[in-house]
């Protein structure tokens, strides 16, 4: 069978694993988007810029404060999460009762401004961020050489994704959140502080983006446009998975990473369009997305 | 009657006055990638370089009015062509400079010829600009795919790198660089074992690199540029490709790319360029002025230096002619005059539009050899004008067709 498609099984396994690693980033980013859209009904176009800020935050911590990768993995999401909370409190919550489009425009504008500022001061080709010493080197798996850092990315992001899913779908706090989305007035009547919960949810979604940014920093250059290049694919992932579906975005993220990885082997020229082709097909067949509920 | 005549005379003086003023006006457009993957090596820095050239020309003191404007082609040929047309038709731009991205550059060269203006390209690489797509209105200033291939390709094959796998950016530039380098490798006794073409502006190269690794080629030739090259190099190190014995040949590497990579990753890379800021007193003095005007404090790349050099020479021709209205005439004048500036030294421009100067083979320093930021290159060799560029009769340029 492998002879038929002109590629050795070893090479194929290698490419599948690489696809999964890229999928881990898609999953982590689209998860944040899904949480924000599902709970707040905001199409957060600033997600890419916040992801970039996460990476830059790690870079700042290292170069100005001497704080390494491991603390940055916790600190950067907190710092950027607070930035997200400020955006929500000062700007987004004023748009709560308006059409989705206003939130989209606002977050898109925020993204452009943030990216412009970073580009002005750091140029576009970016800054280097080294892989932490503990994860340098790699393992020879027989069919491929797997850098330790990439193995870490896949394990860690899978854990974060599942924890988030558990938090929202299986805990009491998650139940409050989902209830508040369905009927905020009623939930408030039970004495729950809904605006605070919404603000914190936005902050949490933003922190997820920043976390993905820190994870990506040692793999890609820390660049002002690193998120802008990524965010469109991630939106496609969310649409394919079904807007707002938590499990949908995780599964779709990993699956699309795989499909994209395979395209890079069989028809590399199409590797950055394949996701959108799939999106078009899914929208034609199942407009609510693979895991979405039709309203 | 007398009065009418006086008015007519007055009107005539005024008219000739305006006509005169118009002739001494020049508008320079920097059409570039202002924010994308090539922006650091070209873009805003090239505008700074063009402005410095205008300052140094001394023409402002002689009553010339010279303005520099900038536009962002976003690496899209249709946007580049639209801006070009608008600049020539509405904004009355006389000269377009910089323009990285070979696809865009070929399109802009076409429009420039149609409108009889001038295009001094510094940023794009394709040798077709002085080959089958050459034009009487275009000069290709700083480097081209032939010179890169010839410099780096030859040096790598001579050092034992005789089997190649290409990682190629999938558009005009990558294709030209792959073609020219492939020819050099084969002419020197090497062979090409495979290639993979990736879309421009890719962030993850691991899949392509794994294919290169599986090919067992001794050398992986990176026929890409800017952010694509830095990501390829960084991820090749991560996947143990370089430590596994395969060598990377970065066919086009800019100073800003090395800065972005850091010396730890970039050290030991061999590549070809026609300018480095730390060559002599002239280049250092210019580079100091340049980096003071950059928010990032960057030193100039060869493309930005080329923009300076090209604008200087253009303004010399403009002063000789007294007018830049006829683009082809200005370019002809520029080809007639020998070039001379602090950055590239003495040189000339060939009939097919190729600017001639020596090119250099550099190696990236080890971190221990570098004195600080921007001290990155070691000079490994100089390739003379005769050896560096494609011979004029090999380029199929219709302007110099064999009789």
């Amino acid at each position: 069978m492998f002879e038929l498609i002109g590629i050795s099984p070893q090479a194929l396994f290698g490419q599948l694993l690489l696809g999964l690693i890229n999928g881990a980033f898609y999953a982590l980013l689209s998860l944040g988007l899904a949480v924000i859209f599902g709970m707040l009904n905001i199409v957060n176009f600033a997600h890419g810029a916040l992801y970039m800020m996460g990476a830059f935050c790690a870079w700042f911590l290292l170069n100005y404060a001497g704080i390494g990768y491991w603390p940055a993995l916790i600190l950067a999401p907190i710092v950027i999460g607070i930035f997200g909370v400020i955006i929500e409190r000062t700007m987004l919550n004023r748009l709560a009762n308006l059409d989705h489009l206003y939130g989209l425009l606002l977050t898109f504008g925020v993204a452009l401004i943030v990216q412009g500022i970073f580009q002005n001061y750091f140029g576009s080709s970016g800054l280097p961020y080294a892989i932490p010493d503990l994860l340098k080197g790699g393992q020879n798996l027989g069919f491929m050489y797997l850098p330790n850092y990439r193995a870490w990315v896949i394990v860690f992001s899978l854990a974060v994704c599942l924890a988030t899913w558990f938090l929202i779908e299986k805990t009491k706090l998650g139940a409050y959140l989902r209830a508040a989305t369905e009927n905020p007035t009623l939930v408030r009547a039970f004495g729950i502080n809904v605006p605070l919960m919404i603000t914190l949810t936005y902050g949490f979604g933003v922190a997820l983006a920043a976390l993905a940014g820190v994870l990506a920093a040692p793999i890609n250059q820390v660049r002002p446009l690193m998120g802008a290049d990524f965010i469109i694919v991630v939106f496609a992932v969310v649409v394919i998975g079904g807007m707002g579906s938590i499990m949908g975005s995780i599964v779709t993220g990993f699956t699309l990473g795989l499909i994209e990885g395979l395209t890079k082997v069989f028809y590399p020229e199409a590797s950055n369009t394949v996701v959108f082709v799939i999106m078009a097909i899914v929208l034609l067949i199942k407009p609510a997305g693979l895991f979405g509920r039709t309203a | 009657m007398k009065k009418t005549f006086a008015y007519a005379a007055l009107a005539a003086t005024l008219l000739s006055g305006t006509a005169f003023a118009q002739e001494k006006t020049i508008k320079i457009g920097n059409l570039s990638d202002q924010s994308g993957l090539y922006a650091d090596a070209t873009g805003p820095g090239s505008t700074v370089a063009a402005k410095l050239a205008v300052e140094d020309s001394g023409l402002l003191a002689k009553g010339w009015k010279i303005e520099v404007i900038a536009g962002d082609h976003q690496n899209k040929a249709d946007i580049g062509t639209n801006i070009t047309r608008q600049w020539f038709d509405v904004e009355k731009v006389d000269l377009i400079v910089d323009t990285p991205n070979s696809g865009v550059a070929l399109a802009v060269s076409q429009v420039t010829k149609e409108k009889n203006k001038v295009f001094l390209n510094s940023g794009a690489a394709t040798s077709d600009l002085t080959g089958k797509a050459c034009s009487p209105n275009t000069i290709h200033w700083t480097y081209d795919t032939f010179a890169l291939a010839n410099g780096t390709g030859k040096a790598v094959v001579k050092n034992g790198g005789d089997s190649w796998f290409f990682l190629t950016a999938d558009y005009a530039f990558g294709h030209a660089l792959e073609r020219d380098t492939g020819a050099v490798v084969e002419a020197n006794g090497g062979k090409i074992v495979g290639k993979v073409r990736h879309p421009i502006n890719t962030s993850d190269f691991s899949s392509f690199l794994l294919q290169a690794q599986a090919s067992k080629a001794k050398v992986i030739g990176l026929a890409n540029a800017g952010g694509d090259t830095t990501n390829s190099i960084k991820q090749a190190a991560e996947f143990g490709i370089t430590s596994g014995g395969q060598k990377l040949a970065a066919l086009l590497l800019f100073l800003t790319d090395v800065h972005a990579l850091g010396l730890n990753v970039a050290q030991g890379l061999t590549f070809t360029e026609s300018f480095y800021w730390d060559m002599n007193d002239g280049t250092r003095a210019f580079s100091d002025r340049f980096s003071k005007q950059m928010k990032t404090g960057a030193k100039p790349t060869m493309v930005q230096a080329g923009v300076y050099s090209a604008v200087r020479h253009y303004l010399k021709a403009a002063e000789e002619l007294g007018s830049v209205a006829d683009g082809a005439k200005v370019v002809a004048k520029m080809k007639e005059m020998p070039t001379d500036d602090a950055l590239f030294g003495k040189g000339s421009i060939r009939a097919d539009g190729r600017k001639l100067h020596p090119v250099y083979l550099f190696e990236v320093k080890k971190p221990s050899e570098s004195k600080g930021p921007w001290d990155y290159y070691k000079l490994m060799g100089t390739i003379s004008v005769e050896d560096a560029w494609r011979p004029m009769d090999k380029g199929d340029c219709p302007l110099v067709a064999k009789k």
Side-chain angles (χ1 to χ4, degrees):
Chain A
M1 180 212 160
F2 289 114
E3 288 70 33
L4 271 181
I5 50 178
I7 179 171
S8 69
Q10 280 88 351
L12 188 66
F13 289 142
Q15 298 294 349
L16 287 174
L17 195 54
L18 284 178
L20 272 184
I21 296 168
N22 282 335
F25 282 105
Y26 292 155
L28 211 50
L29 278 171
S30 59
L31 178 64
L33 276 181
V35 168
I36 293 172
F37 183 79
M39 304 295 137
L40 281 73
N41 272 332
I42 292 169
V43 183
N44 188 28
F45 251 85
H47 217 65
L50 294 161
Y51 159 80
M52 175 271 286
M53 286 176 77
F56 265 96
C57 189
W59 189 86
F60 288 135
L61 287 172
L62 183 66
N63 287 280
Y64 291 115
I67 296 171
Y69 175 82
W70 300 105
L73 211 51
I74 299 165
L75 284 177
I78 294 176
V79 173
I80 307 302
I82 292 172
F83 178 75
V85 165
I86 295 171
I87 292 182
E88 205 279 336
R89 281 276 102 166
T90 55
M91 295 185 251
L92 274 175
N93 70 354
R94 289 160 204 272
L95 304 177
N97 300 321
L98 296 173
D99 192 82
H100 287 339
L101 265 180
Y102 289 92
L104 188 152
L105 281 176
L106 176 76
T107 50
F108 188 56
V110 169
L112 288 181
I113 292 169
V114 168
Q115 280 161 2
I117 292 173
F118 276 84
Q119 217 164 30
N120 199 24
Y121 288 100
F122 299 98
S124 63
S125 43
L127 308 154
Y129 190 91
I131 292 175
D133 287 338
L134 192 64
L135 294 175
K136 282 210 168 108
Q139 307 301 324
N140 197 339
L141 302 182
F143 57 90
M144 76 174 288
Y145 175 91
L146 178 67
N148 289 339
Y149 188 78
R150 302 242 176 183
W152 154 252
V153 164
I154 199 166
V155 172
F156 182 68
S157 55
L158 199 58
V160 172
C161 286
L162 291 179
T164 308
W165 172 80
F166 186 81
L167 180 74
I168 290 177
E169 302 286 344
K170 300 285 167 203
T171 64
K172 201 163 184 188
L173 180 69
Y176 284 154
L177 259 179
R178 280 174 290 135
T181 324
E182 291 294 324
N183 193 337
T185 334
L186 194 65
V187 176
R188 272 175 115 155
F190 285 113
I192 291 164
N193 188 343
V194 172
L196 179 71
M197 231 157 78
I198 289 195
T199 306
L200 290 181
T201 309
Y202 187 77
F204 177 72
V206 168
L208 279 178
L211 184 69
V214 183
L215 277 181
I219 293 184
N220 297 312
Q221 292 288 103
V222 178
R223 291 180 301 125
L225 292 184
M226 63 193 286
D229 298 341
F230 224 43
I231 194 68
I232 306 191
V233 178
V234 174
F235 264 105
V237 171
V238 175
V239 171
I240 296 169
M243 294 290 284
S245 159
I246 307 288
M247 201 33 124
S249 66
I250 300 174
V251 174
T252 320
F254 280 101
T255 314
L256 284 181
L258 274 182
I259 294 175
E260 202 184 52
L262 289 179
T263 318
K264 281 178 176 165
V265 182
F266 295 114
Y267 190 48
E269 287 85 347
S271 58
N272 60 354
T273 38
V274 66
V275 169
F276 302 102
V277 174
I278 294 173
M279 182 178 86
I281 295 171
V282 167
L283 285 180
L284 281 174
I285 299 170
K286 211 164 175 290
L290 293 178
F291 295 80
R293 284 159 296 182
T294 354
Chain B
M1 180 70 207
K2 226 179 197 170
K3 222 174 181 178
T4 326
F5 185 76
Y7 280 136
L10 187 65
T13 334
L14 283 175
L15 276 176
S16 67
T18 25
F20 184 70
Q22 255 169 8
E23 278 184 358
K24 291 217 161 186
T25 305
I26 297 175
K27 203 161 181 183
I28 302 170
N30 167 25
L31 180 59
S32 193
D33 175 359
Q34 306 285 7
S35 60
L37 74 173
Y38 303 147
D40 277 0
T42 64
S46 292
T47 310
V48 169
K51 284 182 175 157
L52 288 174
V54 172
E55 246 173 58
D56 292 353
S57 71
L59 286 189
L60 296 175
K62 291 176 187 161
W64 288 71
K65 239 184 103 221
I66 307 171
E67 192 189 344
V68 181
I69 60 171
D72 189 357
H73 65 44
Q74 300 169 36
N75 290 306
K76 295 185 178 93
D78 53 337
I79 296 182
T81 319
N82 278 344
I83 298 178
T84 306
R85 286 189 187 281
Q86 194 202 337
W87 275 1
F88 288 153
D89 294 342
V90 184
E91 309 260 345
K92 305 292 172 215
V93 165
D94 301 290
L95 162 66
I96 290 184
V97 294
D98 204 12
T99 319
N101 190 317
S102 296
V104 183
L106 289 166
V108 170
S109 177
Q110 194 68 32
V111 180
T112 310
K113 185 178 169 188
E114 185 189 309
K115 302 279 179 190
N116 193 22
K117 302 286 181 177
V118 181
F119 180 39
L120 303 179
N121 185 291
S122 183
T126 179
S127 56
D128 289 351
L129 276 173
T130 55
K132 56 180 192 270
C134 72
S135 144
N137 297 70
T138 298
I139 298 175
H140 198 190
W141 206 268
T142 312
Y143 71 104
D144 66 19
T145 48
F146 183 91
L148 296 174
N150 194 44
T152 313
K154 221 186 234 170
V156 171
V157 178
K158 284 210 172 118
N159 281 324
D162 54 7
S163 60
W164 284 59
F165 185 96
F166 282 108
L167 198 60
T168 306
D170 192 19
Y171 73 105
F173 151 69
H175 297 178
L177 189 50
E178 181 195 300
R179 175 196 69 203
D180 288 354
T181 313
V184 170
V185 169
E186 278 166 356
N188 285 281
K191 63 176 190 299
I192 314 295
V193 298
K195 66 175 179 219
V196 58
R197 290 181 167 171
H198 67 79
I200 183 177
N201 211 359
T202 295
S203 62
D204 185 61
F205 281 88
S206 48
S207 168
F208 305 124
L209 287 165
L210 231 58
Q211 297 176 44
Q213 194 171 31
S215 77
K216 305 249 173 0
K218 284 185 190 162
V219 179
I220 301 172
L222 304 178
N224 49 22
D228 284 341
T229 306
T230 49
N231 273 334
S232 311
I233 294 172
K234 196 169 172 179
Q235 290 165 12
E238 193 194 342
F239 277 84
I241 286 179
T242 17
S243 55
Q246 280 175 310
K247 210 172 144 53
L248 290 182
L251 295 166
L252 175 52
L253 195 67
F254 295 114
L255 184 67
T256 42
D257 298 333
V258 175
H259 184 70
L261 278 168
L263 290 183
N264 272 326
V265 179
Q267 59 179 313
L269 286 170
T270 317
F271 57 95
T272 307
E273 281 203 274
S274 57
F275 170 87
Y276 176 50
W277 69 272
D278 198 7
M279 300 273 283
N280 55 50
D281 289 342
T283 57
R284 278 186 288 268
F286 168 77
S287 304
D288 276 350
R289 284 168 67 206
F290 177 90
S291 58
K292 283 201 184 88
Q293 299 210 20
M294 297 295 287
K295 282 228 173 56
T296 52
K299 296 286 182 191
T301 61
M302 66 165 166
V303 172
Q304 290 153 348
V307 168
Y308 173 88
S309 164
V311 173
R312 278 301 298 272
H313 193 63
Y314 173 89
L315 294 177
K316 279 179 201 165
E319 193 178 10
E320 286 283 304
L321 292 170
S323 154
V324 291
D326 184 342
K329 213 165 128 190
V330 180
V331 169
K333 188 78 199 165
M334 289 175 76
K335 287 177 181 169
E336 230 171 71
M337 301 162 62
T339 62
D340 187 9
D341 57 70
L343 306 190
F344 290 84
K346 289 186 195 318
S348 60
I349 301 162
R350 219 161 54 177
D352 60 357
R354 178 69 255 159
K355 159 81 161 64
L356 302 174
H357 44 247
V359 296
Y360 309 99
L361 204 58
F362 292 110
E363 191 185 288
V364 179
K365 288 184 173 175
K366 294 192 185 74
S368 59
E369 295 167 327
S370 165
K371 291 200 256 325
W374 305 107
D375 178 24
Y376 296 148
Y377 291 8
K378 254 188 319 203
L379 182 64
M380 304 304 282
T382 303
I383 305 161
S384 70
V385 169
E386 293 73 35
D387 293 333
W389 309 101
R390 180 179 57 203
M392 196 152 66
D393 53 347
K394 297 267 168 61
D396 295 329
C397 166
L399 289 178
V400 290
K402 278 163 268 175
K403 274 146 205 151

